[in-house]
Amino acid sequence: MTVYPLHGAIRTYAWGSRTAIAELQGRPASEGPEAELWLGAHPGDPSTVPGPDGPLALNALISGDPAGQLGAPVVERFGDRLPYLMKVLAAAGPLSLQAHPDAEYAKSAFARQEEDPAAPKNYTDGHHKPEMLVALTPFEALCGFRSPQVSAEVLGELNLPQLAPVVTALRDGNLETAVRTLLSWPESERDDLIKQVSSAAQQVPEDHGHTPSFVLAVDLAANYPGDPGVLVALLLNLVWLQPGQAIWMPAGNLHAYLGGLGVELMASSDNVLRGGLTPKRVDVDELLRVLRFEVLDDPLLHPTELAPGVTSWKVPVPDFELYRVTLTEDRPPAQLPGSGPRVILGASGDIHVGEGHGTPVEVRPGEAAYAPASAGPLTAAGVGVLFVASVPA
């Protein structure tokens, strides 16, 4: 078999939707949250393919034949591991504010942590975790720092004397000082501050501008009382994606997903440094070492049309690339783009993917297939939309 049906694991984080992934897959809603469908070989929850004795974990299949599954160039660069992880992400509520380290820092920080048993356990592996997301439904997110002058206007309209040092730092263009001040706010004063922020945000007249920011502040304050991440969120770009639009989160980019269904593709790592909107531990000093205090003028990742019905989003990392392929009744079966090991995810319609011989794999919405590097050119037939994750040639 050269193209395998790929069965992913669903992660049940509390912020997940009960309905979004179920509706995509055409089944009843879940009794609990379904946050992420993992499609890949990450050891934390590897997908499975049919094996001679039942389901076989994809990482086990790869470790048994790295060259055949990944191809020599991928093995040479990344070792015996699939360098990317695809997810279907379904957020019914905000995820934590978070950022990820770059490759060099992740490697050194993880090594230091392993050498010192008393060190804080901030890293699960020695890899970076840049990521991108393409919306399948309207999707709301916070992505990257906006102009500090705009953020100063937003916080200034709250008219809270306690925030004056933060507003001053922002007006001076000093994002790092503003973020450090907010995240280091005395714990005994946080709850009262966030209550005042929520109250002030509700009193700002709508014609003062920045209304979405104040609506967000009220919502976050209700769900995360006493969490300084409520204020840090107001320093970020608030982005509304329409289906097919994408955002890019490189190393050091502070971001948080707020709601919606999307296809996420990332380097295969679980290194997350949190900055708020979470009951989990926040290591302020380590987060500040990783953050890049740069203004992100355009949070959107713009697509490139490669051929009729074939779109890609170029990202400056060697770990992954993503394609969207749209098949219509008036278009013949398409040869799929990409090289090396590929994961194919159905987004709509009914599509069959094969190598040209053997039985093709049916890929319905929310279902996936896996093709090793040793497979020949892949062809997709049917009507619908699918996504292809690949390793750049």
Side-chain angles (χ1 to χ4, degrees), residues 153-187:
E153 290 179 18
V154 172
L155 294 189
E157 286 193 59
L158 296 175
N159 198 28
L160 294 175
Q162 304 97 307
L163 296 178
V166 179
V167 173
T168 297
L170 291 169
R171 286 176 177 158
D172 291 341
N174 197 327
L175 278 167
E176 182 173 357
T177 296
V179 173
R180 181 181 291 275
T181 301
L182 292 173
L183 291 181
S184 304
W185 207 273
E187 191 169 350

Side-chain angles (χ1 to χ4, degrees), residues 2 83 85 87 95 99 133 153 198 265 272 279 300 315 332 376 392:
T2 53
L85 173 63
K87 298 179 182 179
L95 282 67
L133 180 137
E153 290 179 18
S198 179
L265 187 59
V272 177
L300 295 183
V315 293

Side-chain angles (χ1 to χ4, degrees), residues 69-121:
Q69 296 297 320
L70 303 177
V74 173
V75 172
E76 181 178 357
R77 180 152 201 171
F78 299 101
D80 298 353
R81 55 188 289 270
L82 185 66
Y84 63 80
L85 173 63
M86 177 185 273
K87 298 179 182 179
V88 178
L89 184 143
L95 282 67
S96 60
L97 279 174
Q98 57 189 264
H100 313 295
D102 63 28
E104 182 179 358
Y105 189 84
K107 183 178 180 180
S108 62
F110 182 67
R112 289 194 303 271
Q113 176 182 291
E114 293 297 283
E115 293 169 359
D116 182 3
K121 303 305 180 188

Side-chain angles (χ1 to χ4, degrees), residues 8 16 22 40 55-56 69 111 117 134 157 184 213-214 227 255 270 293 323 332 336 339 344 353 365 367 373-374:
L56 176 65
Q69 296 297 320
V134 180
E157 286 193 59
S184 304
S213 293
F214 299 127
D227 190 325
H255 62 278
D270 206 20
F293 296 97
Y323 302 90
L336 294 184
S339 60
I344 301 101
V353 175
E367 298 178 354
S374 58

Side-chain angles (χ1 to χ4, degrees), residues 317-389:
V317 294
D319 310 70
F320 59 82
E321 57 189 355
L322 183 66
Y323 302 90
R324 183 183 62 205
V325 179
T326 302
L327 302 174
T328 59
E329 292 182 352
D330 59 353
R331 199 172 287 155
Q335 182 169 315
L336 294 184
S339 60
R342 284 146 289 175
V343 172
I344 301 101
L345 168 68
S348 68
D350 189 7
I351 299 173
H352 288 76
V353 175
E355 190 190 6
H357 59 80
T359 304
V361 174
E362 184 178 24
V363 182
R364 297 180 62 83
E367 298 178 354
Y370 164 74
S374 58
L378 302 180
T379 300
V383 175
V385 176
L386 53 78
F387 288 86
V388 180

